[in-house]
Amino acid sequence: TPDGRQIIFSSNRGGIPGLWRIHSSGGNPERLGVGDNAYYPSISRQGHRLAYTQLIGGSSIYRTEVRSSTGRVGSPTKLVASTRAANAPQYSPDGKRITFESDRSGSPEIWMCDSEGRNLVQLTSFGSGYAASPRWSPDGKQIAFGFRGTSEAEIYVVSAEGGGPRRVMTEGSDAGVPSWSQDGTYIYFTSQRGGDQQVWKVLAE
């Protein structure tokens, strides 16, 4: 700020990028109420006005039919509409449900709906951070996903029927992009715990 007392900056520390302020001598940052996806703050010399860039957009989930006889695809049908983000969908093993990541509640969480895009259910409620890459277990009872809070990313598992998510590993591992083994015994993931990015596995339990 012109008086040198505060610093205004953009950060995704709350899950969604926004504008924050902190005293120039340090302390705890405070979020400004200017909206989500805000970047590049600029303050007038008089200190009375703040200009910034706000990214507005969204992503939705579509379905299309693939005709096996011809290999052609049909016209896409919108299943999950969103003015924010709806990403990384995956069908359940029985094809009756879809899990995906979305920030429609304010922060990126794991959601689920039926195969027609109805009956939306929010499976996680971290409130901050970033939950991503949901993957069904082979029996369709659990969903593994990656979550990054204020520290290293971790792998969690949540029941498809709801309830609190369970962290798979107790120590920090900077792990992401989970995938189940075919028998559901292991969860594979990416991690730099060995020094460079590699694929690891851990018992699902």
Side-chain angles (χ1 to χ4, degrees):
T1 54
D3 60 10
R5 295 181 178 179
Q6 297 185 83
I7 298 172
I8 309 298
F9 62 99
S10 178
S11 173
N12 64 353
R13 62 195 303 119
I16 302 294
L19 295 187
W20 296 70
R21 65 182 173 190
I22 189 171
H23 199 277
S24 57
S25 62
N28 294 321
E30 175 188 355
R31 184 158 186 158
L32 300 180
V34 298
D36 296 331
N37 294 311
Y39 305 87
Y40 308 114
S42 178
I43 303 173
S44 65
R45 292 187 177 183
Q46 294 76 23
H48 300 305
R49 293 184 182 273
L50 169 69
Y52 62 94
T53 296
Q54 186 172 22
L55 179 64
I56 299 175
S59 58
S60 300
I61 295 174
Y62 287 77
R63 177 183 66 197
T64 187
E65 303 294 335
V66 179
R67 300 180 179 90
S68 57
S69 59
T70 62
R72 295 180 179 178
V73 297
S75 299
T77 301
K78 185 181 291 186
L79 286 182
V80 180
S82 177
T83 57
R84 303 186 69 155
N87 301 313
Q90 189 189 42
Y91 275 106
S92 60
D94 61 7
K96 295 181 178 180
R97 292 180 290 184
I98 298 171
T99 185
F100 59 97
E101 62 184 68
S102 177
D103 63 354
R104 62 183 56 230
S105 63
S107 61
E109 305 282 0
I110 303 302
W111 289 73
M112 182 176 64
C113 64
D114 63 27
S115 61
E116 298 300 322
R118 300 185 296 257
N119 302 314
L120 268 67
V121 176
Q122 184 176 341
L123 292 177
T124 66
S125 299
F126 289 101
S128 63
Y130 201 107
S133 305
R135 293 294 181 266
W136 289 92
S137 62
D139 60 8
K141 294 182 179 181
Q142 301 181 89
I143 297 168
F145 62 94
F147 175 75
R148 180 178 291 277
T150 57
S151 58
E152 293 181 327
E154 296 284 356
I155 302 298
Y156 283 78
V157 171
V158 66
S159 170
E161 304 306 320
R166 170 180 61 88
R167 194 170 70 174
V168 174
M169 290 166 288
T170 56
E171 81 282 0
S173 59
D174 196 27
V177 197
S179 180
W180 296 79
S181 61
Q182 291 186 358
D183 61 4
T185 301
Y186 288 94
I187 295 176
Y188 298 92
F189 59 95
T190 64
S191 176
Q192 292 183 345
R193 60 194 297 136
D196 55 354
Q197 195 81 1
Q198 297 289 346
V199 178
W200 293 70
K201 71 177 181 179
V202 64
L203 285 168
E205 297 302 322

